[in-house]
Structures are given as C-alpha cells and as structure tokens.
Amino acid sequence: FAPSLLDFSEEQNTRRRTFVKIGRINVSIIQGTIAEETVDVIVNSVNRDLDLETGLGSKALADAGGNAIQKECCEKYPNGITKNEVAVTNGGNLKCRKVYHVTLPKWEMNNKQAIETATTNCLTEAHKSCVNSLAFPPFGSGYLNYPDEELTDAMLQSVMNFEQLQHLTRVPIKSIVIVCHSTQNSVF
C-alpha cells in the first residue's frame, strides 16, 4: 500500500497489532477471534449457499452468534448469494448489529481483484447503512489459499480507494479491524 500512510505497530494485551491511518479511517490489523470483536458490522467470508457450518470462520461466528444468524440466511437468501452480493443479517448473540456475508472464489494467479471487490462491496453497504465500524477476516486466507501478502495489500488498497470516494460525505466509516488468526504472522 502507499508509503505516505502513517503506519506503526505495537504489542498490546498479547495480541499483535498494526495500525494504519487511511484518511479519516483507522485500520487495525490484529490477531484474535473475529467473533469477539465489538463493532457495528462483522464481515463473514462464506460459501455461496450461506452454510455457516462450513469453514472455520463461519462456524465460529455461527457458534458464537447463535442459530438466529443461520436461520436468517436461509429465510432471506434461500438460493444463496452471487460472488458480488453482500448478504446482510442481524448479529445474533455477537457484539455487533449486523453480519455481512460475502463469497470469494478459490485463489488463482492475479485474482486479488476478488478481494478488492468483496471489501469494496462491504464498505459500500456499510456506508449506505451509516455504519461506523467493521471487522473483517483476512479474506481467502483459509481453504481458499489466498497468499497473506496479496490479501492484506488488496484489502488496504480497497480501503484507500473507498476513503477517497467517501471523503466528501458527512457520515464516514471511522474504524476497520482486520482480525487474523494467531498463526497468520505473515499478514503483519
């Protein structure tokens, strides 16, 4: 990402953190569990069928958030979602108001555009809903095999592009947290 950004790291509460300021948006990359984040929206990378029992991240959110999230997915999106769609559900028992569900294809050379599109689609939905804070997983880092260095750069580039577009609006997104599993040291 652009070298003009303010970038610094620190250790805090045994969770590794990287902070980046992109315009008016504070971005934190942390190690932790996304289901424990207190934000307006938690983003979930899931299969097209919105089956929250598949994938470690989706399952963790379903376990922590309760059955209401899966039930709402089935009721509102009986045919699942397309690759550029954002499914929106309530947060159930999670410490968030909403969960945004998106789907990504498996990694192929030079398809980091899929990460940028998914990130931008979530930011656009958040902006329309006057959301101030979001927590993202590092898209595609699990069974989809996206390289850590590609996904972090793509997500931050999407935030930079989006921030330039929302620059003139009154209700900006203020905070984004990318929550990585404790084994994802190469993301930092």
Side-chain angles (χ1 to χ4, degrees):
F1 54 92
S4 62
L5 300 175
L6 175 63
D7 183 13
F8 62 94
S9 301
E10 69 179 44
E11 293 289 327
Q12 184 177 3
N13 299 335
T14 69
R15 297 195 319 173
R16 190 169 174 188
R17 294 179 174 265
T18 300
F19 298 91
V20 179
K21 179 91 170 168
I22 300 176
R24 297 185 290 179
I25 303 174
N26 294 312
V27 180
S28 301
I29 303 172
I30 66 170
Q31 288 178 319
T33 305
I34 197 166
E36 296 173 1
E37 292 301 311
T38 302
V39 290
D40 293 330
V41 172
I42 292 177
V43 178
N44 178 33
S45 177
V46 66
N47 60 41
R48 290 178 187 217
D49 295 332
L50 296 174
D51 180 359
L52 303 181
E53 291 299 314
T54 59
L56 295 176
S58 293
K59 183 152 178 37
L61 286 176
D63 289 347
N67 295 334
I69 300 172
Q70 181 66 71
K71 182 179 178 187
E72 189 173 354
C73 283
C74 293
E75 289 173 359
K76 288 174 72 174
Y77 307 93
N79 299 317
I81 58 174
T82 63
K83 68 178 180 174
N84 291 322
E85 188 175 0
V86 178
V88 180
T89 63
N90 287 307
N93 298 328
L94 297 170
K95 295 182 260 180
C96 65
R97 294 185 323 197
K98 300 287 183 189
V99 178
Y100 292 174
H101 307 273
V102 296
T103 188
L104 293 166
K106 274 202 168 286
W107 171 256
E108 295 174 11
M109 288 302 287
N110 298 320
N111 74 342
K112 73 178 185 179
Q113 181 62 43
I115 298 169
E116 292 178 11
T117 299
T119 303
T120 300
N121 291 346
C122 289
L123 294 173
T124 301
E125 181 66 34
H127 182 73
K128 287 190 299 187
S129 302
C130 297
V131 167
N132 289 313
S133 60
L134 296 96
F136 285 88
F139 281 147
S141 64
Y143 68 94
L144 294 176
N145 297 316
Y146 282 69
D148 287 344
E149 62 279 358
E150 295 284 342
L151 65 95
T152 305
D153 285 347
M155 292 180 81
L156 291 175
Q157 184 64 52
S158 297
V159 174
M160 285 177 30
N161 294 342
F162 183 81
E163 200 284 332
Q164 290 174 354
L165 294 175
Q166 80 159 5
H167 176 75
L168 300 174
T169 63
R170 293 186 334 201
V171 185
I173 295 170
K174 296 176 184 169
S175 173
I176 295 173
V177 181
I178 301 171
V179 185
C180 304
H181 188 271
S182 61
T183 61
Q184 292 176 298
N185 291 322
S186 62
V187 173
F188 292 90

